[in-house]
Amino acid sequence: MKRIGVLTSGGDSPGMNAAIRAVVRKAIFHGLEVYGIDQGYAGLINGQIKKMELGSVGDIIHRGGTVLYTARCEEFKTLEGQKKGIEQLNKFGIEGLVVIGGDGSFQGAQKLTEHGFPTIGVPGTIDNDIAGTDYTIGFDTALNTVIDAIDKIRDTATSHERTYVVEVMGRDAGDLALWSGLADGAETILIPEVTYNMNDIVDRLKRGAERGKKHSIIIVAEGVGSGVDIGKEIHKKTGFETRVTVLGHIQRGGSPTASDRVLASRLGAEAIELLLDGQAGKMVGVESNKIVSHSIEDALSRKHEIDQEMYRLSQELSI
Ligand code: F6P
């Protein structure tokens, strides 16, 4: 293999730039040429492909977002779109591809592999919803952003003696809500993996108020439903003054934490090792702090599970 390509796809996540840097530098270290593809699979189809040098990835390790831009691409879900992408890769003489993104991006990577094009996936998403890795790139940064926001919300919640509902991202996964709720001592954490009962939430809030508790924080994962609706229901059933904050895309931005930068560097570099080793259709990940790889097909067929023990603990600590 002489020439490889790299793209970022789907929702951006902090640390994607550190992963791009690792891919480019590790590839050049091994004597490969690297081409960057702008705007994910959309840019691949359109041939938005450029040569990258060592300097192309200078001064980006600390930056959020992705210097290769990103997109969600419906056309690449079609055979037609995939063929156009492979034509472009062939036209540029690219022999292997690294795809940095979430599960939607991995589906594209799997298709390329099935068409005989060697592709490796690097998990980059704030959702932490990919099986085969304990953490995805961007999760830690988003978690810290959420915690910073909840700390601030807590100040005003205490001052006004209010109930606050905070809706966090995560798509269908509850990791961001669970981890931030545990880290911030939230009274209640609602995640899609666990069915909730509104009467239990109301009882818990009332018990807290009887004990003299002046405020409460309820974290709602977006996969559970609308935080605004849940806030309205809580107000209706308790009469407590309730406010809702939907954190939104603030969770996707910002400079990556040290942890995300290190993870991105390790995973990006490993993707190159796999390509050089002649592997294809694999994703890299970290399990028990060891760098691992799994088949993308296998990872896509499984569900990333929440840590049930951690969930139980969050409940025990917020009685
Ligand atoms: O997958 C990352 C994510 O931020 C999810 O948490 C969220 O559901 C979704 O992307 C939002 O997508 P968009 O940026 O297209 O609004």
Side-chain angles (χ1 to χ4, degrees):
M1 192 169 285
K2 294 262 183 300
R3 190 175 286 179
I4 64 125
V6 55
L7 62 80
T8 49
S9 153
D12 61 321
S13 71
M16 277 184 163
N17 281 329
I20 297 167
R21 174 180 177 272
V23 167
V24 171
R25 295 259 165 110
K26 182 76 168 186
I28 294 176
F29 171 82
H30 281 301
L32 299 172
E33 283 184 351
V34 190
Y35 280 73
I37 298 149
D38 277 344
Q39 291 182 7
Y41 294 118
L44 176 60
I45 289 172
N46 297 330
Q48 294 165 242
I49 301 175
K50 62 199 181 194
K51 185 144 193 279
M52 297 187 86
E53 311 289 352
L54 287 174
S56 317
V57 290
D59 206 24
I60 66 167
I61 196 166
H62 61 297
R63 282 168 56 192
T66 160
V67 292
L68 288 178
Y69 307 98
T70 187
R72 301 190 199 278
C73 178
E74 285 304 311
E75 192 181 356
F76 203 73
K77 291 182 182 157
T78 66
L79 182 60
E80 200 63 9
Q82 292 152 19
K83 280 188 178 159
K84 281 190 201 165
I86 291 174
E87 270 167 31
Q88 293 289 358
L89 289 164
N90 290 336
K91 189 170 130 194
F92 282 82
I94 296 169
E95 298 159 288
L97 182 67
V98 177
V99 170
I100 305 166
D103 55 355
S105 315
F106 279 17
Q107 273 159 19
Q110 174 59 20
K111 285 292 168 207
L112 286 173
T113 304
E114 284 168 16
H115 297 314
F117 197 89
T119 307
I120 302 292
V122 174
T125 165
I126 64 163
D127 300 335
N128 210 35
D129 60 348
I130 297 183
T133 186
D134 292 344
Y135 303 107
T136 54
I137 298 164
F139 172 66
D140 186 64
T141 308
L143 177 60
N144 280 284
T145 302
V146 173
I147 287 167
D148 182 53
I150 299 174
D151 284 348
K152 289 176 173 136
I153 287 169
R154 186 178 281 286
D155 288 345
T156 177
T158 318
S159 306
H160 282 270
E161 304 181 21
R162 282 174 177 159
T163 298
Y164 268 85
V165 174
V166 182
E167 183 190 306
V168 305
M169 279 186 168
R171 206 179 284 276
D172 301 321
D175 269 38
L176 206 44
L178 174 56
W179 283 66
S180 58
L182 183 59
D184 235 308
E187 278 67 27
T188 299
I189 303 169
L190 304 186
I191 54 175
E193 292 86 348
V194 180
T195 316
Y196 77 93
N197 180 327
M198 183 49 85
N199 292 334
D200 289 347
I201 299 172
V202 168
D203 287 349
R204 185 185 275 248
L205 285 170
K206 286 185 175 162
R207 274 203 313 272
E210 277 160 20
R211 261 193 2 247
K213 213 168 167 13
K214 302 278 189 223
H215 68 272
S216 288
I217 306 272
I218 297 164
I219 311 287
V220 177
E222 65 175 350
V224 167
S226 155
V228 173
D229 292 346
I230 289 170
K232 277 187 194 149
E233 208 179 336
I234 287 174
H235 173 67
K236 209 167 113 200
K237 293 199 161 159
T238 60
F240 296 164
E241 194 177 14
T242 305
R243 293 286 187 274
V244 179
T245 305
V246 179
L247 290 181
H249 289 82
I250 189 175
Q251 296 161 95
R252 284 233 299 259
S255 176
T257 58
S259 177
D260 270 330
R261 296 180 201 190
V262 170
L263 179 65
S265 302
R266 292 173 83 192
L267 295 185
E270 181 65 10
I272 295 301
E273 294 294 350
L274 293 185
L275 279 179
L276 285 173
D277 193 39
Q279 303 205 42
K282 292 279 181 74
M283 63 161 277
V284 290
V286 62
E287 287 174 335
S288 306
N289 203 25
K290 294 268 174 303
I291 299 301
V292 295
S293 64
H294 298 284
S295 99
I296 293 180
E297 194 177 17
D298 173 57
L300 287 175
S301 70
R302 292 188 287 129
K303 199 174 159 10
H304 173 90
E305 303 289 348
I306 58 148
D307 186 332
Q308 292 288 347
E309 223 168 89
M310 192 187 276
Y311 180 73
R312 270 195 301 279
L313 178 65
S314 73
Q315 288 202 306
E316 288 165 7
L317 299 187
S318 63
I319 41 171

